[in-house]
């Protein structure tokens, strides 16, 4: 690539006009990453760790984290800077994009001499069709990467992939996991199924369970992957069934009927009843992401009519933390208010 180890850092962003086009092209990536970056920024507060999202071409689409306490190099990261291998040589974001897999790049592993004070971790974000939408990375130039950073990045990427799968709008979603307790968790496999039983897309975990790439799964019949078709099992729509993948594992599975969820969401007031209301709510949010124990606690306090301040005092957190929990609850239940959250939670028997 005709790069030299002692090259000055190429941290100049693209021109303003190019940046506007870039941000428009990366709007989907930025939207999917926004909530995860907010959560991760709280986790790395006051640690000098900086979060970065690059698009499928290597350009920075978002920067977050504790930039204030970071060193000069990380403070200079801007939207529109090209972090690809062609510009920087070996870096975690650029190399994760090139290799399509997570990577940890420690100080001396960086190609450019001026980057060798950094420790960086990055992982690609895959669409349901197996294309790389972008890369999520975290870097530190003041201290080694914090314990738990790997798990944080992996979880964030999995949640983003779940969101991308929701956006397909498939009528059915098949959920898979080797253990029944794993269904509903972040490590479950998800398959978006079309009206004719064809696969519209998968997350990376489902593709690994099926023993096939995401690209090769799209468009194929779901029945061809199992000894017994999931679509022919009555029990799978009402509970958990056991499926054997052809030549592979036996997995616990359940089938989400999105049309049924839409009707339930309308009754709960979470979805618009007519075409005149343009609010966009994804009905399958309510089953794809389970609420945490703390979020259930917050729901119970909501049901008792407590204010944010009263909830914060009761569970020993700040009001900002309560607002953060409420934001997650609204997203997971596909609602827009406290009353809708309570109604939906009661319907789903999350609270009594």
């Amino acid at each position: 690539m005709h790069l030299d180890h002692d090259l000055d850092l190429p941290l100049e962003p693209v021109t303003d006009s190019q940046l506007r086009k870039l941000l428009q092209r990366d709007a989907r990536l930025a939207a999917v990453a926004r909530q995860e970056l907010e959560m991760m920024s709280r986790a790395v507060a006051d640690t000098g760790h900086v979060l970065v999202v690059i698009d499928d071409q290597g350009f920075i689409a978002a920067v977050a984290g504790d930039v204030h306490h970071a060193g000069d190099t990380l403070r200079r990261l801007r939207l529109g800077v090209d972090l690809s291998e062609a510009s920087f040589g070996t870096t975690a974001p650029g190399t994760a994009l090139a290799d399509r897999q997570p990577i940890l790049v420690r100080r001396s592993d960086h190609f450019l001499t001026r980057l060798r004070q950094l420790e960086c971790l990055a992982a690609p974000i895959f669409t349901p069709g197996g294309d790389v939408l972008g890369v999520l990375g975290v870097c530190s130039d003041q201290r080694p990467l914090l314990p738990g950073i790997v798990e944080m990045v992996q979880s964030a990427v999995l949640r983003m992939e779940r969101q991308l799968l929701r956006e397909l709008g498939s009528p059915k979603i098949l959920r898979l996991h080797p253990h029944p307790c794993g269904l509903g968790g972040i490590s479950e496999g998800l398959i978006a199924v079309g009206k004719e039983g064809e696969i519209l897309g998968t997350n990376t975990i489902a593709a690994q369970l099926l023993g096939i790439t995401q690209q090769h799964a799209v468009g194929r019949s779901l029945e061809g992957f199992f000894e017994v078709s999931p679509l022919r099992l009555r029990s799978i729509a009402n509970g958990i069934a056991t499926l054997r993948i052809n030549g592979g594992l036996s997995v616990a599975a359940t089938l989400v009927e999105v049309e049924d969820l839409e009707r339930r969401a309308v009754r709960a007031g979470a979805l618009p009843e007519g075409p005149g209301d343009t609010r966009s709510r994804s009905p399958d949010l309510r089953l794809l992401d389970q609420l945490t124990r703390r979020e259930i606690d917050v729901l119970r306090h909501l049901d008792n009519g407590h204010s944010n301040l009263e909830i914060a005092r009761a569970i020993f957190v700040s009001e900002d933390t309560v607002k953060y929990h409420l934001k997650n609850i609204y997203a997971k239940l596909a609602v827009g208010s406290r009353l809708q959250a309570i109604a939906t939670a009661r319907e789903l028997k999350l609270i009594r």
Side-chain angles (χ1 to χ4, degrees), residues 154-277:
Q154 289 175 337
S155 296
V157 167
L158 289 173
R159 282 190 294 270
M160 284 188 272
E161 290 183 355
R162 292 162 74 87
Q163 177 62 34
L164 292 169
L165 187 131
R166 295 184 190 112
E167 294 175 1
L168 293 178
S170 60
K172 296 184 178 83
I173 296 176
L174 182 66
R175 303 162 60 178
L176 308 170
H177 197 277
H179 194 285
C181 292
L183 292 175
I186 194 65
S187 62
E188 70 177 349
L190 298 172
I191 302 175
V193 185
K195 294 181 180 179
E196 304 300 323
E198 76 279 13
I199 296 177
L200 301 180
T202 76
N203 66 352
T204 52
I205 295 176
Q208 291 166 0
L209 291 173
L210 296 179
I212 192 171
T213 64
Q214 290 172 277
Q215 292 97 328
H216 291 151
V218 174
R220 294 181 58 175
S221 172
L222 183 68
E223 295 187 359
F225 288 97
F226 300 92
E227 293 184 357
V228 177
S229 170
L231 303 179
R232 299 180 188 275
L233 292 176
R234 291 185 179 181
S235 61
I236 199 170
N238 301 316
I240 298 174
T242 299
L243 296 175
R244 182 176 291 278
I245 301 170
N246 288 333
L249 294 171
S250 289
V251 294
T254 187
L255 190 66
V256 177
E257 295 278 356
V258 176
E259 289 183 2
D260 290 341
L261 290 176
E262 287 177 347
R263 288 192 291 270
R264 291 164 59 191
V266 168
R267 289 200 303 272
L271 288 175
E273 295 191 37
D277 195 331

Side-chain angles (χ1 to χ4, degrees), residues 79-146:
L79 297 179
V81 170
D82 182 3
L83 291 186
S84 67
E85 281 194 334
S87 293
F88 275 83
T90 302
T91 65
T95 304
L97 178 63
D99 289 350
R100 295 171 57 91
Q101 62 183 7
I103 187 170
L104 172 65
V105 179
R106 298 193 182 276
R107 300 174 186 276
S108 60
D109 294 332
H110 287 87
F111 178 80
L112 295 183
T113 303
R114 288 174 173 80
L115 293 179
R116 291 181 181 171
Q117 80 279 16
L118 299 181
E119 285 201 0
C120 300
L121 170 75
I125 306 158
F126 289 97
T127 69
D131 296 322
V132 176
L133 182 64
V135 169
L136 172 64
V138 58
C139 297
S140 172
D141 58 4
Q142 301 293 307
R143 56 186 294 179
L145 290 175
L146 294 169

Side-chain angles (χ1 to χ4, degrees), residues 314-336:
I315 64 176
F316 303 103
V317 298
S318 68
E319 282 191 82
D320 285 340
T321 300
V322 171
K323 292 176 182 178
Y324 173 71
H325 287 315
L326 288 174
K327 181 178 179 180
N328 287 339
I329 290 169
Y330 293 172
K332 291 178 180 182
L333 297 183
V335 299

Side-chain angles (χ1 to χ4, degrees), residues 16 30-31 50 75 124 143 158 168 195 223 283 293 306 341-342:
D16 290 343
V50 173
R75 285 202 303 269
R143 56 186 294 179
L158 289 173
L168 293 178
K195 294 181 180 179
E223 295 187 359
R293 183 177 299 176
H306 294 167
I342 293 169

Side-chain angles (χ1 to χ4, degrees), residues 35-58:
Q35 184 170 344
E36 295 304 320
L37 290 177
E38 290 177 3
M39 181 275 295
M40 296 173 71
S41 293
R42 293 185 179 93
V44 301
D46 302 320
T47 66
H49 285 55
V50 173
L51 310 166
V52 61
V53 175
I54 67 170
D55 65 15
D56 59 340
Q57 302 298 315

